[in-house]
Amino acid sequence: VTKATAIQYEAARKPLANALNEIEWTTGKLQDLLAQVPQGPIVYRLRWKSPTSRVAGQDDDGTLYIGETGFGRVRIKTFVSAARRGDASHRAGIDYYAYNLHNQFPLDEVLLDYVAVKEKHHAEDIELALIEEYRWRFKENPPMNGSQGKWRKVEFWIEASHAGRQARKPEPYDGWLNIGDLIPQWLVHP
């Protein structure tokens, strides 16, 4: 990441951060919400019930993982299966199991936040924005997000935005940093 990219992100991130903070999440204990998670695309967060220490401060939300999927309920059940037995294909769930994270974060007390969206690519964009905002605030990924994820996409979108090109087709916005105004349109309201 270049210094110029970081400066561009800082200039654009405040309106986006405000839009992300206005998302109305469905929130509760993971086990309690499992049956009501929608089948379609969602963005979700797994959180701990109390603040967690991070490199650049304290995360009062206790964010452990930020994810997205086109198949909400299936993906959350896959996480639970991987977390309990290490036998399913969810990287965060496998790490939870393999590194005995149940000692620090018992699964029956992990919180789930989710929001349904209209299209999978909307979920991808919102997830990316949430992860990048988290990284900007705390100077690291959420603890169970194992990699920088879609950082190359971030660089592409920023570069495309500043070069005057469409960052992604067929969306009407120029770069993912400008999705703040579109987020409310993408959400599915019960």
Side-chain angles (χ1 to χ4, degrees):
V1 178
T2 67
K3 184 69 171 172
T5 301
I7 291 169
Q8 291 167 354
Y9 181 72
E10 174 59 19
R13 72 174 274 277
K14 289 179 183 167
L16 178 59
N18 290 338
L20 294 171
N21 287 332
E22 291 177 12
I23 292 174
E24 293 183 27
W25 299 91
T26 298
T27 301
K29 285 190 176 184
L30 173 62
Q31 302 297 332
D32 296 343
L33 290 181
L34 201 51
Q36 68 186 60
V37 174
Q39 298 287 355
I42 65 168
V43 180
Y44 64 101
R45 300 183 299 193
L46 298 172
R47 295 186 304 112
W48 187 235
K49 60 185 179 181
S50 55
T52 55
S53 295
R54 308 306 299 147
V55 167
Q58 179 173 286
D59 175 7
D60 291 332
D61 292 329
T63 304
L64 299 173
Y65 181 79
I66 298 170
E68 62 78 21
T69 180
F71 305 98
R73 188 174 309 152
V74 170
R75 189 66 174 153
I76 300 303
K77 286 182 176 181
T78 302
F79 167 80
V80 170
S81 180
R84 286 187 179 148
R85 297 180 293 283
D87 65 351
S89 62
H90 192 294
R91 181 80 250 161
I94 291 169
D95 286 350
Y96 181 95
Y97 176 81
Y99 295 108
N100 296 316
L101 292 178
H102 62 272
N103 292 329
Q104 288 77 25
F105 310 109
L107 196 57
D108 62 346
E109 296 184 38
V110 169
L111 302 174
L112 170 66
D113 300 334
Y114 71 84
V115 63
V117 295
K118 295 177 182 175
E119 304 285 339
K120 181 171 174 20
H121 64 93
H122 297 153
E124 291 171 352
D125 291 345
I126 295 170
E127 176 212 32
L128 177 60
L130 286 165
I131 291 172
E132 290 310 314
E133 179 59 20
Y134 189 95
R135 287 169 48 84
W136 194 260
R137 286 176 47 217
F138 299 112
K139 312 305 180 222
E140 63 181 321
N141 288 330
M144 290 170 45
N145 283 85
S147 70
Q148 290 183 353
K150 301 171 179 98
W151 183 251
R152 290 299 306 147
K153 238 184 197 181
V154 172
E155 286 181 329
F156 169 77
W157 288 346
I158 290 172
E159 290 164 8
S161 175
H162 290 280
R165 298 187 310 266
Q166 280 294 320
R168 179 175 205 175
K169 295 180 182 179
E171 293 299 328
Y173 57 89
D174 184 15
W176 74 276
L177 290 170
N178 300 321
I179 68 171
D181 292 339
L182 297 172
I183 289 173
Q185 300 169 39
W186 294 347
L187 304 180
V188 174
H189 302 285

